[in-house]
Amino acid sequence: MQALLIISHGSRRAVSNNELLSLEKNLRLELADSYPIVESAFLEFFPQSIAKAINKCVEEGATTIKVLPYFLAAGVHVTDDIPSEVKLASEHYQSLNVDILPHIGSSEKITSVISSMLTTTEI
Amino acid sequence: MQALLIISHGSRRAVSNNELLSLEKNLRLELADSYPIVESAFLEFFPQSIAKAINKCVEEGATTIKVLPYFLAAGVHVTDDIPSEVKLASEHYQSLNVDILPHIGSSEKITSVISSMLTTTEI
């Protein structure tokens, strides 16, 4: 069973962290067929840590976890912190496949998200 | 004349900051008709500060600047730092209109960016 784990930076502001939880809910609905498990975790200021989220995915039956770094640019959090925390949290699950996807900012679709925001606000 | 100013967090890694410069180039091509001026700035670790970017927009003839906070969640940078830095950098231009748009993470299209990334990596 496939799980999707979204890892965000996290903020001191609860309202900000709630945005990720709301995205998690939307993805859970949208990806129900291919990803029956969708979890989110925060690198800092965490309501849920990466280790806790990975444990939860495994408990729910995940055999593969796709990790999406929810970051716009590949700073140190993306290149170093997420890979090392994910490795540390998952290496004792010997039959678990964990793939770290490219960060969301690397998607070519970001340009069109911006275009559509500009169009919306101009109406 | 309308300008678009993208404000990103900035990173210690030059490669990471170059991602924003590359986005800036793409947007310059895509939005040429409606936004003849596209600039980017960094909140921290800056190759270009917000004040410098706003001055540059004005020098290039901008009468309106749309500021896009290039952040996924509305943390303190989005709610406090960007508005105060933008105000400070623009208030002495009396005939300049400056609008701060919602942060990119608030776009409903983010969910579909993630879906498309998952589909791409599964092929």
Side-chain angles (χ1 to χ4, degrees), chain B residues 78-96:
Chain B
V78 170
T79 57
D80 298 1
D81 301 340
I82 290 179
S84 68
E85 286 209 29
V86 166
K87 191 181 172 202
L88 204 66
S90 62
E91 60 190 357
H92 57 285
Y93 293 118
Q94 290 177 2
S95 57
L96 181 68

Side-chain angles (χ1 to χ4, degrees), chain B residues 7 24 59-60 71 74-75 79 85 87-88 93 103 105 114:
Chain B
I7 301 179
E24 180 192 306
E59 278 166 19
E60 289 176 26
F71 286 75
T79 57
E85 286 209 29
K87 191 181 172 202
L88 204 66
Y93 293 118
H103 59 293
I114 295 176

Side-chain angles (χ1 to χ4, degrees), chain B residues 14 16-26 40 42 47:
Chain B
S16 163
N17 295 336
N18 287 342
E19 287 184 72
L20 186 69
L21 302 179
S22 157
L23 176 70
E24 180 192 306
K25 274 187 200 161
N26 293 341
S40 58
F42 299 89

Side-chain angles (χ1 to χ4, degrees), chain A residues 1-4 27-28 31-39 60:
Chain A
M1 204 194 309
Q2 279 199 127
L4 172 64
L27 288 168
R28 208 166 267 166
L31 303 172
D33 294 337
S34 45
Y35 291 85
I37 304 166
V38 177
E39 286 294 328
E60 289 175 27

Side-chain angles (χ1 to χ4, degrees), chain A residues 10-63:
Chain A
S11 166
R12 285 177 196 87
R13 296 182 73 239
V15 175
S16 164
N17 295 336
N18 287 342
E19 287 182 71
L20 187 68
L21 301 179
S22 160
L23 176 69
E24 180 193 306
K25 272 187 201 163
N26 292 341
L27 288 168
R28 208 166 267 166
L29 290 173
E30 190 161 324
L31 303 172
D33 294 337
S34 45
Y35 291 85
I37 304 166
V38 177
E39 286 294 328
S40 59
F42 298 89
L43 207 54
E44 295 180 11
F45 317 111
F46 38 79
Q48 174 158 279
S49 70
I50 294 175
K52 203 170 158 186
I54 287 181
N55 291 343
K56 202 168 166 189
C57 289
V58 172
E59 277 166 21
E60 289 175 27
T63 49

Side-chain angles (χ1 to χ4, degrees), chain A residues 30-31 107 109, chain B residues 111-121:
Chain A
E30 190 161 324
L31 303 172
S107 166
K109 292 196 182 289
Chain B
T111 314
S112 66
V113 173
I114 295 176
S115 298
S116 78
M117 289 181 78
L118 292 170
T119 314
T120 311
T121 56

Side-chain angles (χ1 to χ4, degrees), chain B residues 3-15:
Chain B
L4 172 65
L5 170 58
I6 315 272
I7 301 179
S8 165
H9 184 275
S11 167
R12 287 177 194 87
R13 295 182 74 238
V15 175

